[in-house]
Amino acid sequence: MKKSVSERYKDLKSIVIERKEQFDRVINFMEEETAWLTAPASTKYHLCKEGGLLEHSVNVAETMLKIKAAIAPEISDESCVIVALLHDLGKVGMPGNPQYLINEPSEKQKRYGYKPDYPYRFNSELTYLSVPVRSLYLALQHISLTEEEVQAIVYHDGQYVEDNRSCATHEEPLTLLLQYADSWSGFVIEK
């Protein structure tokens, strides 16, 4: 029988041992103070549904561990789980102020039968930060990260983001693993 996302998530959390206290702090913050458990992964692309962000992050972590086992067993499982679960944390927005809001039509639009093209929209009330920058801003208040982990989170979108060109050819193995696991999850698993 296939495990639920919450069971898979629980299994992944049990992998973190060395930084368990810090990891538990960041996970508690994410689960208790943000939209982590309910946020979609996107407004219109992969896993654009309630809980999509958690499901995507679990998919990325599991994919990353599989790839790592095959080609880079020297990289820590714990580090893979941490960066995979935190890479899109910025998509939660801020405590009490989510990044994604249900895209409900205005009263006037309802009168004319308008239905939004996408189920979610961006929250214009948030101060703009890229997803990786917000991810680090939120996470680093609760957990210490290595330079390699920071690089992986910041550059996880690889060359899909113009800002990431500065890192091209300077990626650490952890960054490359996260980039590929994220792409594989979004474009293959969640298709």
Side-chain angles (χ1 to χ4, degrees), residues 26 29-30 36 53 83-94 99 129-143 145 150 153-154 156:
V26 74
F29 163 74
M30 291 160 56
W36 169 248
L53 177 58
V83 299
L85 292 180
L86 298 180
H87 82 283
D88 274 347
L89 175 59
K91 290 183 177 182
V92 301
M94 295 297 289
Q99 176 164 304
L129 294 174
S130 68
V131 168
V133 168
R134 189 178 304 278
S135 297
L136 289 175
Y137 174 75
L138 294 171
L140 288 171
Q141 295 176 51
H142 307 280
I143 189 170
L145 299 172
V150 168
I153 291 169
V154 170
H156 75 265

Side-chain angles (χ1 to χ4, degrees), residues 160-171:
Y160 288 102
V161 176
E162 191 171 328
D163 292 348
N164 290 357
R165 296 222 186 341
S166 63
C167 189
T169 74
H170 301 289
E171 298 95 341

Side-chain angles (χ1 to χ4, degrees), residues 1-177:
M1 179 178 214
K2 189 174 177 181
K3 287 185 175 183
S4 70
V5 171
S6 60
E7 291 170 319
R8 294 163 52 212
Y9 176 50
K10 184 178 178 185
D11 291 346
L12 288 166
K13 290 191 296 184
S14 73
I15 291 171
V16 178
I17 306 293
E18 291 179 31
R19 285 183 278 170
K20 182 174 178 15
E21 187 177 319
Q22 289 182 41
F23 183 69
D24 287 348
R25 274 199 311 267
V26 74
I27 291 295
N28 185 57
F29 163 74
M30 291 160 56
E31 292 176 357
E32 301 295 325
E33 298 183 43
T34 74
W36 169 248
L37 298 173
T38 58
S42 68
T43 59
K44 58 184 174 182
Y45 300 112
H46 66 106
L47 296 176
C48 176
K49 64 180 187 175
E50 185 173 316
L53 177 58
L54 175 63
E55 184 176 344
H56 171 67
S57 300
V58 167
N59 289 340
V60 172
E62 290 172 342
T63 301
M64 194 171 176
L65 290 171
K66 289 175 188 172
I67 298 167
K68 179 209 90 74
I71 64 172
E74 69 282 1
I75 294 176
S76 139
D77 285 355
E78 179 167 298
S79 193
C80 289
V81 168
I82 289 170
V83 299
L85 292 180
L86 298 180
H87 82 283
D88 274 347
L89 175 59
K91 290 183 177 182
V92 301
M94 295 297 289
N97 198 11
Q99 176 164 304
Y100 299 132
L101 301 172
I102 293 174
N103 194 11
E104 295 189 12
S106 67
E107 290 305 314
K108 183 178 179 181
Q109 290 171 327
K110 286 179 190 175
R111 282 195 302 271
Y112 292 104
Y114 171 80
K115 292 189 191 273
D117 292 334
Y118 308 113
Y120 293 93
R121 64 178 172 82
F122 285 97
N123 181 352
S124 61
E125 300 299 314
L126 281 173
T127 299
Y128 176 78
L129 294 174
S130 68
V131 168
V133 168
R134 189 178 304 278
S135 297
L136 289 175
Y137 174 75
L138 294 171
L140 288 171
Q141 295 176 51
H142 307 280
I143 189 170
S144 299
L145 299 172
T146 66
E147 284 182 284
E148 292 80 9
E149 290 167 343
V150 168
Q151 185 193 70
I153 291 169
V154 170
Y155 297 105
H156 75 265
D157 285 321
Q159 303 313 305
Y160 288 102
V161 176
E162 191 171 328
D163 292 348
N164 290 357
R165 296 222 186 341
S166 63
C167 189
T169 74
H170 301 289
E171 298 95 341
E172 293 293 322
L174 186 67
T175 301
L176 294 170
L177 285 174

